[in-house]
Amino acid sequence: MKKILSVLTILTVLTAVSCQKSELKDVVNADNFFSVKQAAIASVNGPTTATVNQNVTFTVSWPYTGNCEKFSKFEADSLSDTTKIKLFTSTNIADDCTGKEVQHSSVYKFRAKKAGTYFLKFVGPDSNARPIVDTLTVK
């Protein structure tokens, strides 16, 4: 009986300690104040021709609400001549983010390693929406 009581006491203490550590981690972790989401893409502007190994820049614009939403990153998936590009934004949910709806933009860089025709497909979070496709001819 004493052994069972001792084991239960130890398990209870360990469970309580692990709960306290996770709660403390949540308070200390500042990343919990940031919300990252995939943004809808409003427009893409860039060249239609380039040379091999040339850095090509595309200005990607997206609508956002409030003054707290900022560019976070691009994610690109390439499959042969097609590159699927997603844009992500972050918002600090602890800030006051009231403001009018405006449009933001950021620069996406692309470099082709060989000649050919490349299709840059800029997609938003809604799978039913049509992506914006830019065609780049590389010589």
Side-chain angles (χ1 to χ4, degrees):
M1 181 72 168
K2 275 187 165 183
K3 286 182 181 181
I4 294 174
L5 187 56
S6 297
V7 171
L8 286 176
T9 303
I10 291 172
L11 287 175
T12 305
V13 169
L14 289 175
T15 304
V17 169
S18 67
C19 289
Q20 287 177 342
K21 285 183 180 179
S22 67
E23 289 172 12
L24 180 61
K25 180 181 174 187
D26 290 343
V27 172
V28 174
N29 187 355
D31 290 339
N32 288 338
F33 292 113
F34 289 93
S35 169
V36 177
K37 67 177 183 173
Q38 184 180 353
I41 296 175
S43 67
V44 178
N45 293 315
T48 56
T49 60
T51 59
V52 174
N53 288 323
Q54 175 187 3
N55 280 330
V56 182
T57 59
F58 293 86
T59 303
V60 182
S61 300
W62 71 94
Y64 80 103
T65 305
N67 55 3
C68 291
E69 190 174 58
K70 296 181 174 114
F71 172 77
S72 179
K73 64 182 175 179
F74 286 108
E75 281 186 7
D77 257 345
S78 294
L79 183 62
S80 69
D81 61 351
T82 302
T83 301
K84 186 177 176 182
I85 302 137
K86 297 177 182 177
L87 181 142
F88 290 87
T89 59
S90 65
T91 303
N92 185 343
I93 58 175
D95 288 345
D96 177 19
C97 296
T98 57
K100 63 180 184 176
E101 195 168 312
V102 295
Q103 195 166 5
H104 246 315
S105 64
S106 189
V107 173
Y108 176 74
K109 295 180 182 178
F110 180 79
R111 180 190 292 204
K113 296 180 180 177
K114 63 181 184 177
T117 302
Y118 292 86
F119 303 98
L120 303 175
K121 188 186 278 189
F122 295 87
V123 297
D126 182 7
S127 60
N128 294 330
R130 293 183 60 143
I132 298 173
V133 180
D134 267 19
T135 303
L136 181 66
T137 304
V138 178
K139 298 179 183 182

